[in-house]
Amino acid sequence: FYMILLEGQTCFLRTLREDDAVELAQLVTKNRFYWSVFEPRHQDSYFTAAVQREKILESLHHMQNQREFSFGIYDVKTNYLVGHISMYGIKRLPFSSSFIGYSIDEMNVGKGIGTEAVQLVVKYGMEVVGLHRIEAYVSPRNFGSIRVLEKANLQQEGLLRQLLFINGQWEDHYLYAILENDF
């Protein structure tokens, strides 16, 4: 497998490897409650290095087939893993689109890391993968994530009613997108 490295000012993104599983498990465990507000609940096994290793291997397989690109988000000052971001659901023409999703460690929000990570992935998606459109779903209650998307130049296109089943209820989500012409 080849490694992809995307460098920014506040963070750098790199493809996660099998030996990152322990660090990734620590990150998801540390943020278990914080991330659970806007994400579906996970079984306890999800928070183990074994399951995170499986997820990494699965995403490397998808990357080989150009269906998904997943990255660890690392703080440029400390080299610590402070989040993850992926470009997934990649569709070729007639769509030429994908989704992005990301999570930032609670202790590292508000530092511009999420915004820069989104910008780096959008740039990679447009310039390297050759996409026309990149989309993101976000909860109307997730003000931090809405700010990240808007600062990264994605535009709100509409409200999708009862899109995701999260923590026992159907939740509306905004659809945000950026087109290669906006980029």
PDB file of all heavy atoms in Angstrom, residues 5 9 20 36 83 94 128 131 142-143 152:
ATOM      1  N   LEU A   5       0.436  11.639   2.018  1.00  0.00           N
ATOM      2  CA  LEU A   5       0.708  12.659   3.018  1.00  0.00           C
ATOM      3  C   LEU A   5       0.249  14.002   2.458  1.00  0.00           C
ATOM      4  O   LEU A   5       0.651  14.381   1.359  1.00  0.00           O
ATOM      5  CB  LEU A   5       2.205  12.702   3.338  1.00  0.00           C
ATOM      6  CG  LEU A   5       2.664  13.739   4.353  1.00  0.00           C
ATOM      7  CD1 LEU A   5       2.108  13.418   5.748  1.00  0.00           C
ATOM      8  CD2 LEU A   5       4.187  13.798   4.392  1.00  0.00           C
ATOM      9  N   GLN A   9      -0.721  23.956   7.423  1.00  0.00           N
ATOM     10  CA  GLN A   9      -0.058  24.831   8.406  1.00  0.00           C
ATOM     11  C   GLN A   9      -0.272  24.349   9.840  1.00  0.00           C
ATOM     12  O   GLN A   9       0.648  24.375  10.645  1.00  0.00           O
ATOM     13  CB  GLN A   9      -0.604  26.268   8.291  1.00  0.00           C
ATOM     14  CG  GLN A   9      -0.465  26.892   6.920  1.00  0.00           C
ATOM     15  CD  GLN A   9       0.981  27.053   6.501  1.00  0.00           C
ATOM     16  OE1 GLN A   9       1.779  27.646   7.222  1.00  0.00           O
ATOM     17  NE2 GLN A   9       1.331  26.510   5.337  1.00  0.00           N
ATOM     18  N   ASP A  20      -1.086   1.929  13.331  1.00  0.00           N
ATOM     19  CA  ASP A  20      -1.714   3.100  13.974  1.00  0.00           C
ATOM     20  C   ASP A  20      -2.949   2.700  14.776  1.00  0.00           C
ATOM     21  O   ASP A  20      -3.585   3.556  15.401  1.00  0.00           O
ATOM     22  CB  ASP A  20      -2.151   4.125  12.912  1.00  0.00           C
ATOM     23  CG  ASP A  20      -0.969   4.756  12.195  1.00  0.00           C
ATOM     24  OD1 ASP A  20       0.013   5.135  12.869  1.00  0.00           O
ATOM     25  OD2 ASP A  20      -1.031   4.875  10.950  1.00  0.00           O
ATOM     26  N   SER A  36     -20.255  10.941  20.374  1.00  0.00           N
ATOM     27  CA  SER A  36     -21.523  10.192  20.333  1.00  0.00           C
ATOM     28  C   SER A  36     -22.744  11.099  20.185  1.00  0.00           C
ATOM     29  O   SER A  36     -23.821  10.633  19.853  1.00  0.00           O
ATOM     30  CB  SER A  36     -21.677   9.336  21.591  1.00  0.00           C
ATOM     31  OG  SER A  36     -21.998  10.149  22.704  1.00  0.00           O
ATOM     32  N   GLY A  83      -7.483  13.491  15.150  1.00  0.00           N
ATOM     33  CA  GLY A  83      -8.759  13.313  14.470  1.00  0.00           C
ATOM     34  C   GLY A  83      -8.599  12.397  13.277  1.00  0.00           C
ATOM     35  O   GLY A  83      -7.523  11.872  13.008  1.00  0.00           O
ATOM     36  N   PRO A  94     -21.618   9.371 -14.249  1.00  0.00           N
ATOM     37  CA  PRO A  94     -22.006  10.767 -14.453  1.00  0.00           C
ATOM     38  C   PRO A  94     -21.988  11.645 -13.194  1.00  0.00           C
ATOM     39  O   PRO A  94     -22.241  12.833 -13.294  1.00  0.00           O
ATOM     40  CB  PRO A  94     -23.434  10.644 -14.996  1.00  0.00           C
ATOM     41  CG  PRO A  94     -23.969   9.405 -14.356  1.00  0.00           C
ATOM     42  CD  PRO A  94     -22.787   8.472 -14.253  1.00  0.00           C
ATOM     43  N   VAL A 128      -6.382  15.567  -7.477  1.00  0.00           N
ATOM     44  CA  VAL A 128      -5.753  14.263  -7.691  1.00  0.00           C
ATOM     45  C   VAL A 128      -6.778  13.206  -8.113  1.00  0.00           C
ATOM     46  O   VAL A 128      -6.582  12.493  -9.084  1.00  0.00           O
ATOM     47  CB  VAL A 128      -4.979  13.793  -6.433  1.00  0.00           C
ATOM     48  CG1 VAL A 128      -4.322  12.442  -6.672  1.00  0.00           C
ATOM     49  CG2 VAL A 128      -3.936  14.839  -6.043  1.00  0.00           C
ATOM     50  N   LEU A 131     -12.446  14.803  -8.873  1.00  0.00           N
ATOM     51  CA  LEU A 131     -13.888  14.895  -8.602  1.00  0.00           C
ATOM     52  C   LEU A 131     -14.455  16.235  -9.049  1.00  0.00           C
ATOM     53  O   LEU A 131     -13.734  17.237  -9.133  1.00  0.00           O
ATOM     54  CB  LEU A 131     -14.155  14.696  -7.105  1.00  0.00           C
ATOM     55  CG  LEU A 131     -13.757  13.327  -6.548  1.00  0.00           C
ATOM     56  CD1 LEU A 131     -13.943  13.315  -5.044  1.00  0.00           C
ATOM     57  CD2 LEU A 131     -14.561  12.213  -7.205  1.00  0.00           C
ATOM     58  N   ASN A 142     -24.973  20.981  15.109  1.00  0.00           N
ATOM     59  CA  ASN A 142     -23.515  20.888  15.201  1.00  0.00           C
ATOM     60  C   ASN A 142     -22.864  22.169  14.655  1.00  0.00           C
ATOM     61  O   ASN A 142     -22.330  22.198  13.551  1.00  0.00           O
ATOM     62  CB  ASN A 142     -23.020  19.647  14.456  1.00  0.00           C
ATOM     63  CG  ASN A 142     -21.581  19.320  14.762  1.00  0.00           C
ATOM     64  OD1 ASN A 142     -20.839  20.152  15.255  1.00  0.00           O
ATOM     65  ND2 ASN A 142     -21.185  18.103  14.464  1.00  0.00           N
ATOM     66  N   PHE A 143     -22.943  23.231  15.478  1.00  0.00           N
ATOM     67  CA  PHE A 143     -22.506  24.560  15.026  1.00  0.00           C
ATOM     68  C   PHE A 143     -21.024  24.585  14.656  1.00  0.00           C
ATOM     69  O   PHE A 143     -20.633  25.239  13.702  1.00  0.00           O
ATOM     70  CB  PHE A 143     -22.804  25.609  16.099  1.00  0.00           C
ATOM     71  CG  PHE A 143     -24.254  25.647  16.501  1.00  0.00           C
ATOM     72  CD1 PHE A 143     -24.632  25.329  17.796  1.00  0.00           C
ATOM     73  CD2 PHE A 143     -25.243  25.963  15.577  1.00  0.00           C
ATOM     74  CE1 PHE A 143     -25.980  25.339  18.173  1.00  0.00           C
ATOM     75  CE2 PHE A 143     -26.591  25.977  15.939  1.00  0.00           C
ATOM     76  CZ  PHE A 143     -26.945  25.661  17.239  1.00  0.00           C
ATOM     77  N   ALA A 152     -14.442  26.305   4.973  1.00  0.00           N
ATOM     78  CA  ALA A 152     -13.763  25.559   3.905  1.00  0.00           C
ATOM     79  C   ALA A 152     -14.453  25.766   2.551  1.00  0.00           C
ATOM     80  O   ALA A 152     -14.148  25.083   1.580  1.00  0.00           O
ATOM     81  CB  ALA A 152     -13.698  24.071   4.264  1.00  0.00           C
TER      82      ALA A 152
END
